[in-house]
Amino acid sequence: MRSMNRVEGRDKVTGKARYAVEYPVEGAAYAMAVQATVARGEVESIGADEVLAMPGVLAVLSCENAPKLTPVPDGELAVFQSRTVSYRGQLVAAVVAETLDIAREAAARLEIRYRAEPPDLRMTADHPGLYDPGKVNPAFPSDTGRGDPDTAFGQAGVQIDETYTTPAEHNNPMEPHATIASWQGDVLTLHDSNQGVSAVRDTLAKIFDLDASNVRVISPHVGGGFGSKGTPRPNAVLTAMLARAAGRPVKLALTRQQMFALTGYRTPTIQRLRLGADATGRLTSISHDVVEQTSMVREFAEQTATPTRVMYQAPNRRTAHRLLRLNVPSPSWMRAPGETPGMWGLESALDELAVATGVDPVELRILNEPEQDPERDIPFSSRNLVACLREGAARFGWAGRDPAPGVRRRGRKLIGTGVASATYPAYRSPNKAIARRHPDGRFSVEIAAADIGTGARTTLTLIAAEALGTDPSKVSVEIGDSELPKASLAGGSSGTAGWGTAVHRACEALRSSPADEASADTTDEVKSQQKLSRHAFGAQFSEVEVDVDTGEVRVTRMLGVFAAGRIINPKTARSQFIGGMTMGLGMALMEETVLDEEFGDFLNHDLAQYHVPACADVRDIDAVWIEEDDPHLNPMGSKGIGEIGIVGAAASIANAVHHATGIRVRDLPITPPRLLDAF
């Protein structure tokens, strides 16, 4: 037995911790995926013979010789099951060889002929293919309404009617999507980089028509995911297929360029916001209409307008989502899906309302604080959001909207400040856990959770130690293996709440039992509280300087104040908040994946051209939280913190840019050319 906290940190720092394709596997071969070079059409032929004749090449797999797979709802996992090409970059073949260099060379030589057709690539607000998806991720109704928002808007003394857009954005975790697959008869073992080993096991068992007990997925360390590894991706299915075809273990790591097409991204959005208010800034009407895209092989509808259903009082309200199928890769989860782009639109529109009414942006948000939750006896948000705004204004030295835009200067640089609210639901899923007492006085806990760099092991250790009434150094936590008790994935800011509840209950049972082992299954507990509405809230403040000669924007100060339940581990919590805020800074100023509308390919598909914030971009950033006690949450009293940090961050920066320059940028990112064109 060993203490996981210090040892895990030491293993990562020294390089001893192994990630997916680093595991030593005897006799492993190497694979390289081949992607479609057309955006729409069919594969006519695969020239495999020449490649198979190359020394060291073991197998070529494609639609011409792939085994039949059992269909699952995610069409991206139907690898090589059809000759149809639905987007550029789709998997069309793969090569297995003795070495990675041989596999790479063979893949480059593989000749594939297509029958190409003109693709449909451009998302517009008036595209004839737009449709109502019925529900948006994960299962919200696509449209909601109350009152008569159109009439109320027409009668409002102050009207904001603007459109805000966000581009496609890619997750880009540090560790690429990677897998080692090996077969022993009908038993499949995967070392795979993912956010939930239980989900990967269950999905691959269905695809290969196996009993779940015949699939083992191992993933103790994951080098980031940000949502892109939340569901099984095609690389896991492909590697398993290749290992069976080659008759030996196979390693496959997608390249950074391949990840841009194969592992998901945040859909671009077109958001029309209509706010009606009286002269004091009190809202009478809110309408939020969203257009977004999905692929031809998988429907994914991001819940962009759902935060507008929670935020701010208005007797008349409508939200709507319309989806468009295009010849593009499939979008998926990216940190705080829905809330991130949706709050960019809503909080930008709120700032425009503040300017139009002359009401301070902080006071405007407090004036329109969210309504009483009908499922609870206490306001689920008012006290928390208002407290975050008040605390943030005091700590930041908020000076409102005076002086006017363009007045505050540092030499040739204009200075401005901005604010935005943040919200994210507090989810919790059913989980199982086992706790054991050992003869030497130590304890161990087992749960198939995932640590994607968030410090999950440390947090679960603290939860277990508290429930056991012992020192954390006496507790070890084992995670990242599908043979452990079934766990939900690391996503939706639900990990600590869901896993932690199971760990707490198992340890609680062990502490009160003479036995040396106890287990917990929280299914019934979680279901009994599903009707309660739970949300974390926050307020984000930014100061920017804008160079009038170059149009360059620098965020000089950034502060986030959050109400996210009980904070179990302050060090990792602050890191998560700041990480999310930094990602929001990237969203505001640089992140954008550009689609070539002639060829259907993402043009900037590597980190040399897809820009993310570096240390020099993050000058003075801090995150704090207010004390919150909600007995209805879970035994720890915690809410998720991994995603709320990014929500509102981009809007606070954009609002600060407007305060500095008087220029309202409604299309992200805020690049120097966009500002220079407006100066």
Side-chain angles (χ1 to χ4, degrees):
M1 303 299 297
R2 61 179 188 167
S3 173
M4 296 299 289
N5 301 346
R6 295 181 180 177
V7 175
E8 290 300 331
R10 187 183 304 117
D11 286 353
K12 289 183 178 181
V13 170
T14 61
K16 191 176 179 180
R18 289 194 175 104
Y19 292 80
V21 293
E22 296 178 333
Y23 281 83
V25 178
E26 186 175 352
Y30 296 82
M32 179 60 65
V34 180
Q35 297 173 277
T37 57
V38 300
R40 182 183 179 190
E42 287 199 356
V43 174
E44 289 188 334
S45 65
I46 306 283
D49 291 343
E50 178 187 349
V51 169
L52 286 169
M54 293 174 58
V57 173
L58 303 175
V60 175
L61 205 61
S62 71
C63 60
E64 295 189 341
N65 63 344
K68 188 72 173 177
L69 301 177
T70 302
V72 293
D74 185 349
E76 287 285 3
L77 303 183
V79 178
F80 305 155
Q81 299 300 289
S82 168
R83 290 183 177 271
T84 301
V85 176
S86 298
Y87 62 87
R88 190 181 181 100
Q90 187 175 345
L91 288 173
V92 290
V95 177
V96 184
E98 295 283 359
T99 70
L100 181 58
D101 286 340
I102 295 174
R104 185 183 291 114
E105 177 64 20
R109 290 191 189 183
L110 189 65
E111 184 178 353
I112 304 177
R113 297 185 181 275
Y114 303 92
R115 181 181 59 78
E117 301 176 37
D120 189 4
L121 299 167
R122 189 178 183 191
M123 185 182 80
T124 60
D126 58 355
H127 194 291
L130 287 169
Y131 69 97
D132 179 353
K135 66 177 182 179
V136 293
N137 178 60
F140 295 109
S142 55
D143 294 5
T144 60
R146 184 176 67 182
D148 186 350
D150 291 333
T151 298
F153 178 78
Q155 295 174 348
V158 182
Q159 300 174 344
I160 302 297
D161 185 351
E162 299 293 349
T163 297
Y164 307 87
T165 71
T166 59
E169 299 164 349
H170 274 77
N171 313 56
N172 278 309
M174 186 183 302
E175 181 194 16
H177 291 63
T179 309
I180 303 175
S182 60
W183 292 86
Q184 290 183 332
D186 285 333
V187 177
L188 172 63
T189 301
L190 295 178
H191 290 86
D192 182 67
S193 183
N194 62 68
Q195 294 177 221
V197 291
S198 299
V200 174
R201 176 200 60 194
D202 293 347
T203 301
L204 265 68
K206 290 178 183 177
I207 289 174
F208 290 100
D209 194 22
L210 301 169
D211 188 274
S213 63
N214 281 0
V215 180
R216 184 181 182 186
V217 182
I218 304 168
S219 185
H221 301 286
V222 181
F226 307 112
S228 68
K229 299 174 184 174
T231 58
R233 305 312 305 147
N235 56 284
V237 178
L238 175 58
T239 313
M241 295 171 69
L242 293 171
R244 179 168 269 180
R248 57 196 282 188
V250 169
K251 293 187 176 187
L252 170 65
L254 296 181
T255 67
R256 181 67 58 182
Q257 291 80 5
Q258 289 172 335
M259 286 167 59
F260 275 76
L262 297 173
T263 63
Y265 60 96
R266 196 191 303 282
T267 175
T269 68
I270 302 171
Q271 305 176 51
R272 184 182 180 189
L273 269 295
R274 279 171 284 182
L275 306 182
D278 61 23
T280 69
R282 184 172 292 279
L283 288 164
T284 57
S285 175
I286 303 176
S287 295
H288 193 170
D289 298 280
V290 181
V291 171
E292 50 200 29
Q293 71 186 33
T294 191
S295 73
M296 296 291 183
V297 299
R298 178 190 183 216
E299 180 181 273
F300 178 80
E302 184 146 338
Q303 67 276 29
T304 305
T306 56
T308 302
R309 301 171 186 177
V310 174
M311 298 297 291
Y312 307 121
Q313 296 183 49
N316 304 282
R317 188 187 312 262
R318 179 180 66 244
T319 66
H321 299 81
R322 294 297 176 264
L323 199 59
L324 180 61
R325 288 190 179 273
L326 296 172
N327 294 112
V328 296
S330 299
S332 187
W333 300 328
M334 183 169 171
R335 198 171 199 167
E339 278 71 20
T340 295
M343 289 293 282
W344 144 254
L346 179 62
E347 292 301 299
S348 295
L350 256 290
D351 200 68
E352 299 211 44
L353 179 62
V355 172
T357 58
V359 179
D360 179 84
V362 170
E363 297 303 324
L364 181 76
R365 286 164 172 80
I366 293 173
L367 174 68
N368 291 288
E369 61 184 0
E371 298 174 85
Q372 176 100 1
D373 180 357
E375 300 290 342
R376 297 276 291 277
D377 293 331
I378 58 173
F380 72 82
S381 54
S382 296
R383 64 182 185 184
N384 297 332
L385 178 59
V386 171
C388 290
L389 288 163
R390 293 288 192 209
E391 180 72 14
R395 286 176 175 265
F396 193 75
W398 177 256
R401 285 297 174 177
D402 292 323
V407 173
R408 295 179 60 198
R409 287 177 176 264
R410 296 186 188 125
R412 298 287 292 169
K413 295 176 181 177
L414 302 173
I415 310 301
T417 54
V419 64
S421 299
T423 185
Y424 197 80
Y427 293 121
R428 184 171 61 147
S429 299
N431 281 269
K432 298 178 180 180
I434 293 175
R436 291 188 172 93
R437 181 186 292 109
H438 298 274
D440 61 358
R442 303 179 67 83
F443 301 88
S444 63
V445 174
E446 298 176 3
I447 183 170
D451 191 334
I452 58 175
T454 56
R457 277 186 184 84
T458 302
T459 299
L460 292 178
T461 300
L462 294 173
I463 291 171
E466 181 178 70
L468 290 165
T470 190
D471 188 88
S473 64
K474 294 184 178 181
V475 179
S476 66
V477 174
E478 188 175 353
I479 64 173
D481 189 329
S482 63
E483 291 195 338
L484 300 172
K486 189 172 184 178
S488 57
L489 58 86
S493 291
S494 64
T496 298
W499 306 329
T501 298
V503 168
H504 180 95
R505 297 303 185 205
C507 292
E508 189 177 51
L510 181 66
R511 187 178 184 181
S512 61
S513 170
D516 291 331
E517 181 180 314
S519 63
D521 182 343
T522 64
T523 301
D524 292 339
E525 176 178 345
V526 171
K527 285 183 177 180
S528 69
Q529 294 185 327
Q530 283 182 342
K531 290 185 178 181
L532 296 180
S533 180
R534 304 174 178 87
H535 294 263
F537 288 89
Q540 305 204 11
F541 294 79
S542 297
E543 179 187 79
V544 302
E545 57 180 28
V546 183
D547 192 306
V548 297
D549 299 309
T550 67
E552 182 181 21
V553 179
R554 290 285 187 180
V555 179
T556 51
R557 286 192 298 142
M558 200 169 182
L559 171 68
V561 181
F562 303 98
R566 178 190 170 201
I567 301 301
I568 295 172
N569 188 337
K571 182 174 291 187
T572 56
R574 183 176 181 274
S575 177
Q576 283 296 294
F577 287 137
I578 288 178
M581 293 164 66
T582 302
M583 206 166 174
L585 186 155
M587 177 186 179
L589 301 181
M590 55 193 75
E591 292 195 45
E592 176 181 21
T593 319
V594 180
L595 186 71
D596 185 321
E597 293 188 3
E598 181 178 359
F599 297 106
D601 198 9
F602 287 122
L603 293 173
N604 53 332
H605 53 199
D606 56 43
L607 292 179
Q609 300 174 85
Y610 183 92
H611 296 160
V612 297
C615 290
D617 297 304
V618 185
R619 295 187 176 182
D620 181 355
I621 185 168
D622 197 10
V624 297
W625 46 86
I626 62 174
E627 295 297 325
E628 182 183 4
D629 180 20
D630 188 337
H632 301 281
L633 288 169
N634 52 59
M636 301 82 64
S638 66
K639 296 180 181 178
I641 58 176
E643 290 168 287
I644 193 171
I646 190 176
V647 180
S652 74
I653 292 170
N655 294 340
V657 169
H658 176 267
H659 184 220
T661 65
I663 300 169
R664 179 67 65 181
V665 179
R666 301 186 180 94
D667 306 297
L668 291 181
I670 306 171
T671 58
R674 283 187 169 140
L675 290 178
L676 289 175
D677 289 345
F679 275 145

